[in-house]
Amino acid sequence: MNKPSLTVSASPHIHAKADTASIMWSVSLALAPATLWGIYAFGLRSLLVLGVSILGAMLSEYLLGRMSGESTLWDGSAFLTGLLVGVNMPPTIPLYIPVVASVFAIFVAKWTFGGLGANWVNPALAGRVFVFFSFTTPMSSYKLPRTIASIAPDALSSATPLSLTKTAIASGQLGLDTKALLAQGGYPATGFAQGISSLTGFSAYSVDTFLGNVGGCIGEVSALLLLVGGIYMLIRKIITWHVPLTYLGSVGLLSWVFGGLPSELGLFAGSFFPSIFSGGLMLGALFMATDYVTSPITRKGQIIFGLGCGFFTFLFRFFGSMPEAVSVSILLMNIVTPTIDRYIVPRKFGDTREYRKQLKEEKV
Amino acid sequence: MQKVPTFSKGGVHPHDQKGFSSAQSIERLPMPSELLISLSQHLGAPAKALKAKGDTVMRGEKIGSASGFISADVHSPVNGTIKEIRKVTLANSINCDAFVIVPDEDQDPEPTETFDWASQDPSALLAQVKDMGIVGLGGATFPAHVKLSIPSGKHVDAFVINGVECEPYLTADYRIMLEKGEEVLIGAMIGAKIIDAKRIIIGIEMNKIDCIEHLSAIAKEKGYPIEIIGLKVKYPQGDEKQLLKATINKEIPSGKLPLDIGAVVANVGTAHALYEAIVLHKSLYERVISVTGECIAQPKNILAPIGTKMSDLLAFCGGFSSEPEKLVSGGPMMGFSFFDENTPMSKGSSGLLALQAQKKKRNTPCINCGRCVAACPIGLMPSHLYRYITNGEYEEAMQHSLMDCKECGCCSYVCPAHLPLVHGMKTGKKLGRKKK
């Protein structure tokens, strides 16, 4: 028999199936349902926005990879960053803005710090926040989805439910809850949602924001389809429940308890579900805050991270003057992540309470 | 329903791959033409050679004697002549002297006379264990007489027999439990007598449910005071720390021994060797090894003399069915890959694997996914340690408990960036020790 050519390497000699690229592509796949809904609801132009975002990200990755002599284009991370930038854009955005955001994400946020795994803030979010503060007007002009535009053609199209309520409260309309504010502002609800509302008692706005019949960025509107993607990632064990659950839960709870304060309604006058369905929260909690590189490595750390994101999101939403609560909160917590990882470490095997007590007694 | 116990922290679930060889009864290897018996069959100092080139030896005769406290005797597996003494490289890359023994045509028959063990006192039993060169057969090959010598002031609550065999592919312990169940149980009772243990527990994973039933039936029929516990399948449950957590729910603190929490652990193979040493007066010169893997034509569980060359084992199994990428001595998670088919097996060789090529995955930088941290059964942060080590910060790594890593391989197994984490830990330990 011919002598086989054998490999010698350190153990272990078997490996689990997952690799970096498969994880990145799976996350992109998980984002697909919500993205497709966005394309349907806002029209084909959103596809164009997504396309230039992804193209901008991948082209930057390719050029930077060439410069540093690495080929990192197909590990899926640049595609995912581009896609995340794209879904975070309003559908009517001028096309150069997503390109700027993508290039900023890959060039500045990712590669300046050493490429994959070395960035200290989520690249897609950094790109989004950068263009938001550079091009604020086009970044906050929204379009209504076709499901609403067809029933209320003259509705105020540039506002999202969140911005509408915020503006109303800021202009002194106190004593009204979210539902009343939206109704007063003339925000439309679909007939289907009104039907469900009369059956279940949830407000029609909650139902619409849950399903995705609401204005917003391309990929953030359908909480339902984002949840589908999130559950897929949970089943595939790509993410764990720690960040999304603590994030969504803390925003929901804080909004319910304290959300009525800006309208001078007192405690426990806010709403739980509309707050976790609206804005970019679902997208942020499931796809942005769970980014491996910029979130803590331990489960305990992830819980702290999720609670921190939730707290800041709540603060910015109800007491801040700017939109962008979700993006800015996650970026803030990204910055705290290295500190969390330094101090929150797993309990070591054998380091039990009894053993600590025993050590203390021995010292005495 | 009662909850199936296991250890709580970390661990991974690789496919157990035991189907290749689990149905194969233990077969005796035809006498090889040459044996390479190294003097380093165990953890600790190599044995001192008692024979020289040209000497004739008898089966079971002592040819190497323990050369320190942690060391063990070595015996000849055959009647034969010592052709030479030369350096060999073992599968774990240790270089040491080895006897090259050419077996005679005529061999002594296997010992059949049995001796009573229950009447002997523990110190006599312990002396016999040392004399027969018994070491731990689970892989670490720690000399058994050292483990079974309990320092005064220490007490043993539980003698835990490890029937977990959590490494994928390996089926040697499985076959021993099925075919030599009674011997294993008696061996366990002998060990328990030496260390004066209050309880005897055998832990077996639930993928070997037939062993659990078989051993329980024997113990019940003969009235042996042995508890047999089924454990949930999870790697690395066969490590003594995890096994004790799973069976007696106690954790061994860092740097401590099982004895510090009142337990002693031995493998089922070791229990069987104890039986042979005490009841048959047979020294440890042969063992069961699983020869298996995708690339072995006929996977088998083979009873082979210590010092058999891997090439003889491969030939007995019909050679390769397809070209392997790796030959591994031991299990796929912690075993050593080697390239020389003339490498001899030793007392610690539980398996010989011929593994097919895995799909090549590219390394990427660490993406901080936390899988290694979640998988580490000791509670370390492998990705952080790896970063310290690749940056040359060995002292930092040691401060973060690098020395508690036991190289079980869970972190490397799950790493999506395919970083050689265990390799890094091994290097870091070596260089860190040197720097100190």
Side-chain angles (χ1 to χ4, degrees), chain B residues 108-126:
Chain B
D108 286 345
E110 281 293 314
T112 49
E113 193 190 344
T114 57
F115 299 82
D116 181 43
W117 62 274
S119 59
Q120 298 185 51
D121 65 342
S123 59
L125 291 172
L126 187 62

Side-chain angles (χ1 to χ4, degrees), chain A residues 40 55 63 72 266:
Chain A
Y40 166 76
L55 214 66
L63 288 175
T72 51

